[in-house]
Amino acid sequence: MTAEGSGTIRSRIKNLLRSPSIKLRRRSGAARDHELSGKVTLEKVLGITAPGNRALACDPRTGLLAYPAGCVVVLLNPRKNKQHHIFNSSRKAITTLAFSPDGKYVVTGESGHMPAVRVWDVMERVQVSELQQHKFGVSCVTFSPNSKYIVSVGYQHDMMVNVWSWKL
């Protein structure tokens, strides 16, 4: 490589590092340690992992949309173009979800070994119930009209349909 060619590469790298999207900061050891111990927050999810329409839900009262992205439930308010997220602590992929008739809860189903049916409080974005009976995966979930029961359908090899009385 000639000296002139290396100068061009160096100037390209310098210009790239000056761009506003890349910020390199030098920090002292204590500041760096404090930064690493802080929380990481998810700002926006781009994409969806919906195997079919059974993984898309809309709360008709508020217009809030819910869909899975890996082990995260994305709650999208299309009027405000704002997302909130529910993190599945088991880190298993979410395959299906549904809102309760009153919109207060979302029920999710997972795939993988010993998957669970989980119920989440939409406002607090916390898990309120975990139901386990499936062995391979959950292909479909829904609430009963009075929200007292949840029906979950397992994958083909589960050969199982469960009706859960989930409220205490």
Side-chain angles (χ1 to χ4, degrees):
M1 181 174 269
T2 65
E4 184 180 327
S6 65
T8 305
I9 292 172
R10 284 187 186 137
S11 66
R12 287 182 182 172
I13 292 172
K14 285 180 183 177
N15 288 337
L16 179 66
L17 293 176
R18 288 185 191 134
S19 75
S21 62
I22 298 176
K23 295 178 183 174
L24 297 176
R25 297 179 188 148
R26 305 230 186 253
R27 297 206 172 146
S28 67
R32 191 176 322 125
D33 291 343
H34 176 71
E35 181 181 314
L36 292 176
S37 66
K39 286 176 71 173
V40 175
T41 58
L42 178 62
E43 291 180 11
K44 188 166 266 199
V45 172
L46 302 174
I48 184 172
T49 56
N53 63 355
R54 65 184 183 265
L56 298 170
C58 179
D59 179 5
R61 293 180 321 102
T62 63
L64 190 67
L65 300 172
Y67 60 90
C71 65
V72 175
V73 174
V74 179
L75 299 170
L76 173 66
N77 183 333
R79 292 184 188 120
K80 296 180 181 178
N81 195 23
K82 181 117 173 117
Q83 289 184 357
H84 292 284
H85 308 98
I86 297 173
F87 295 94
N88 187 355
S89 59
S90 75
R91 296 189 177 142
K92 292 182 182 172
I94 295 168
T95 55
T96 181
L97 53 82
F99 277 102
S100 62
D102 61 5
K104 292 181 181 179
Y105 302 102
V106 169
V107 61
T108 61
E110 305 170 339
S111 64
H113 179 69
M114 298 306 291
V117 172
R118 299 176 193 274
V119 181
W120 308 87
D121 183 300
V122 172
M123 293 302 293
E124 299 293 323
R125 297 190 301 273
V126 296
Q127 181 179 312
V128 293
S129 185
E130 179 178 339
L131 311 162
Q132 288 190 313
Q133 193 69 39
H134 296 283
K135 292 183 173 77
F136 299 102
V138 181
S139 63
C140 192
V141 292
T142 192
F143 282 93
S144 64
N146 64 3
S147 296
K148 188 175 179 182
Y149 300 102
I150 294 172
V151 177
S152 64
V153 179
Y155 278 1
Q156 180 180 357
H157 297 293
D158 269 357
M159 298 188 334
M160 190 177 299
V161 175
N162 288 317
V163 178
W164 310 90
S165 177
W166 71 278
K167 284 189 173 181
L168 299 175

